[in-house]
Amino acid sequence: MTPTILWFRRDLRLQDHAALTAAIARGGPMIAVFICDAQVESLGAAPKWRLGLGIEALQSALEAKGSRLILRRGSAMDELKALVVETGAQAVYWQRAYDPTSQERDAAVKAALLELGVEAQSFKGHLLFEPWTVQTKVGGFFKVYTPMWNSVRGRDVPVPLPEPAIVPAPDAFPASDSLADWRLGLQMRRGGAIVAGYARVGAAQAMARLEEFTNGGLRDYPANRDIPGEDGTSKLAENLALGEITPAQCWHAGQAELERGNPGAETFLKELVWREFAYHLLHHTPQILNQNWKPAWDAFPWSEDGKSRNFTAWKMGQTGLEFIDAAMRELYVTGTMHNRGRMIVASYLTKHLMTHWRLGQAWFEDCLIDWDPASNAMGWQWAAGSGPDAAPYFRVFNPESQIEKFDADRRYRRTWIAEGQQAPPDTALQFYAACPVSWNLSPKTPYPQPIVTAKKGREIALSYYQSRTF
């Protein structure tokens, strides 16, 4: 049999992998490839760095199965066509993506391969339910989350596919780039060494994380998921973002706990469908990535000055509001942020500071190791009020009352804010080791006064809202 090329993208695992299973079933050797194309090159610093770690883990997993991962840099179409010529492959398989740029690229690749007489097949990707398979009763896609949850909650999700015992290798592998030469972590600078201590990389770590969560934190998940100082969430977004674990694996683990009577299971399943909701919206309304989902917001006078004093203070965790600053520093140290923190910092930026959500979205895109295009876009538009199923635009989270409610014991603040503590914990000090030297920050610097207080920011936001109709 001629070789089958398996094109890996954001699906860095061997288990529950439909394209891999089909490639092995086809017979003959399989050649696994990852291509550093324009989409990879355009990633922000933290997502690109984290992708490099994921690729490295996939390399090791394939080598343990008697295979290897071929690395190529350039246009996906050009590199795949070149590999077909070099290897004599007559089939190229991959798993589908659902963002508009990937879909456009994949359609062009498929057409080019078919023109060469090469079999080109795509398989269900990183969703439980593909966007065109879920519709309202009158047709069309869901624009509100709860009806979508009610529609899919009882659907069957196929049992995850097993990991193959062996991956058949060709007699000779084609030439490959060196991962180190790609320098995917270059933009992280000194921050990479700090964030590395918090990342859990690869499919094996992802499955271990899922097992730990379902056997532990899941029971108290409905309450603890809102407490930023608690280790109360699964943290699986990091692994889901790169396909080191699938939502189906998480779904079946959650369903098993639901059947056992675990009180946190349904909430966990709902969060998986919230992620689905974001991707369904992205598929049907791709403008959500860079335009107000509700056009009525197009004339809203948000600041788009990326060098303003307020936006700079927000990025640096120097707003003088403890919830905002703790969350922004957590982001810089760990590459992630607690979900309630994400809501509060986004509300503060777009409402108290009257700054466009696109600036916050871009900052998260640069800093998150769990960056996901659909969830990031929907989350920002939800907080700003301009998106589907958004928080009411007139709801302005008060970061002072929120931190007192959800961090009453000050654990979260002590973890991330060094100023004012005689012996700050390592977590708080790591922020100064990770952030740019040019920020000129020190834990000995007095904690800043608020740039915009909670009360003043609310008044500013409401004054703008009162003069407009949404």
Side-chain angles (χ1 to χ4, degrees):
M1 293 288 292
T2 56
T4 301
I5 293 172
L6 179 60
W7 178 21
F8 280 95
R9 293 102 70 83
R10 299 179 77 86
D11 52 347
L12 307 181
R13 65 184 184 280
L14 302 183
Q15 76 277 16
D16 197 23
H17 199 294
L20 170 62
T21 301
I24 293 174
R26 181 176 176 270
M30 193 200 78
I31 298 170
V33 60
F34 187 94
I35 301 170
C36 183
D37 64 0
Q39 285 185 252
V40 173
E41 302 282 13
S42 67
L43 289 173
K48 187 184 290 187
W49 169 82
R50 179 59 178 81
L51 174 63
L53 299 183
I55 293 171
E56 187 175 22
L58 179 62
Q59 284 180 315
S60 297
L62 282 166
E63 288 169 5
K65 301 291 183 180
S67 187
R68 66 178 66 170
L69 183 65
I70 304 304
L71 303 178
R72 294 292 179 93
R73 193 170 204 164
S75 157
M77 183 187 298
D78 292 344
E79 293 303 324
L80 289 170
K81 287 166 69 175
L83 278 169
V84 165
V85 172
E86 292 170 33
T87 65
Q90 286 298 301
V92 180
Y93 291 173
W94 65 86
Q95 303 221 137
R96 285 188 283 275
Y98 304 96
D99 61 281
T101 304
S102 295
Q103 289 179 324
E104 182 180 356
R105 174 198 62 192
D106 296 352
V109 166
K110 180 173 282 191
L113 292 172
L114 291 174
E115 189 175 339
L116 291 175
V118 175
E119 180 190 354
Q121 279 202 57
S122 61
F123 297 79
K124 181 181 175 183
H126 52 79
L127 295 179
L128 294 167
F129 317 106
E130 294 192 288
W132 47 89
T133 68
V134 178
Q135 291 190 329
T136 66
K137 291 180 180 178
V138 296
F141 64 98
F142 285 97
K143 299 175 184 178
V144 178
Y145 164 75
T146 300
M148 178 174 167
W149 160 251
N150 290 331
S151 173
V152 303
R153 62 187 302 178
R155 281 197 180 191
D156 287 335
V157 174
V159 174
L161 296 164
E163 182 174 315
I166 191 168
V167 176
D171 293 334
F173 285 95
S176 174
D177 291 352
S178 163
L179 182 59
D181 289 344
W182 286 0
R183 305 183 74 188
L184 296 180
L186 180 64
Q187 294 172 305
M188 284 290 279
R189 300 183 176 86
R190 64 179 188 162
I194 303 297
V195 179
Y198 296 88
R200 292 188 66 174
V201 178
Q205 287 289 323
M207 288 301 295
R209 176 177 262 171
L210 175 62
E211 185 175 357
E212 290 166 11
F213 177 65
T214 53
N215 290 336
L218 180 61
R219 179 161 295 277
D220 298 315
Y221 181 60
N224 286 351
R225 62 191 285 266
D226 274 328
I227 311 298
E230 285 279 355
D231 185 16
T233 63
S234 74
K235 298 183 174 63
L236 284 163
E238 173 192 355
N239 308 107
L240 284 165
L242 290 176
E244 294 172 340
I245 196 169
T246 68
Q249 291 172 303
C250 299
W251 181 268
H252 279 277
Q255 285 285 3
E257 290 302 308
L258 188 66
E259 292 170 7
R260 294 187 184 101
N262 191 321
E266 184 171 82
T267 303
F268 179 56
L269 296 174
K270 285 182 175 180
E271 289 301 302
L272 292 172
V273 174
W274 178 254
R275 176 181 178 272
E276 297 279 308
F277 181 52
Y279 267 100
H280 286 221
L281 289 168
L282 177 60
H283 172 78
H284 291 290
T285 56
Q287 69 271 19
I288 195 174
L289 286 176
N290 48 35
Q291 300 174 34
N292 293 310
W293 196 84
K294 296 175 181 175
W297 284 82
D298 289 348
F300 193 72
W302 276 311
S303 168
E304 298 191 54
D305 181 3
K307 296 183 179 179
S308 71
R309 171 180 172 268
N310 284 350
F311 181 58
T312 299
W314 178 86
K315 289 193 301 182
M316 295 170 62
Q318 297 290 308
T319 67
L321 290 157
E322 291 178 314
F323 205 159
I324 310 301
D325 295 341
M328 296 303 290
R329 297 181 192 193
E330 178 190 15
L331 171 64
Y332 225 78
V333 171
T334 69
T336 64
M337 184 190 293
H338 190 275
N339 185 60
R340 179 150 294 273
R342 297 187 199 212
M343 289 192 294
I344 303 306
V345 302
S347 176
Y348 184 76
L349 182 70
T350 58
K351 295 177 177 179
H352 289 73
L353 302 186
M354 291 296 295
T355 299
H356 206 298
W357 58 264
R358 282 197 295 259
L359 291 180
Q361 175 196 30
W363 184 246
F364 273 28
E365 183 176 344
D366 204 42
C367 296
L368 285 170
I369 63 173
D370 63 8
W371 173 76
D372 174 284
S375 295
N376 195 37
M378 186 177 72
W380 274 97
Q381 294 223 44
W382 183 90
S386 60
D389 202 15
Y393 69 86
F394 50 81
R395 181 182 183 185
V396 182
F397 283 109
N398 182 324
E400 293 173 344
S401 62
Q402 285 279 312
I403 195 67
E404 294 305 325
K405 179 178 180 180
F406 294 106
D407 188 42
D409 60 4
R410 302 189 64 85
R411 193 186 335 171
Y412 186 62
R413 283 169 280 188
R414 287 197 301 269
T415 299
W416 299 113
I417 297 177
E419 298 96 318
Q421 297 194 64
Q422 288 188 344
D426 289 343
T427 49
L429 296 175
Q430 283 175 330
F431 171 69
Y432 301 95
C435 72
V437 175
S438 62
W439 287 4
N440 195 31
L441 295 177
S442 164
K444 297 180 181 179
T445 304
Y447 189 66
Q449 293 296 310
I451 54 172
V452 175
T453 65
K455 181 176 184 295
K456 181 64 175 176
R458 175 180 172 80
E459 292 170 354
I460 292 170
L462 292 180
S463 70
Y464 276 95
Y465 296 153
Q466 287 168 0
S467 63
R468 287 167 175 80
T469 302
F470 296 104

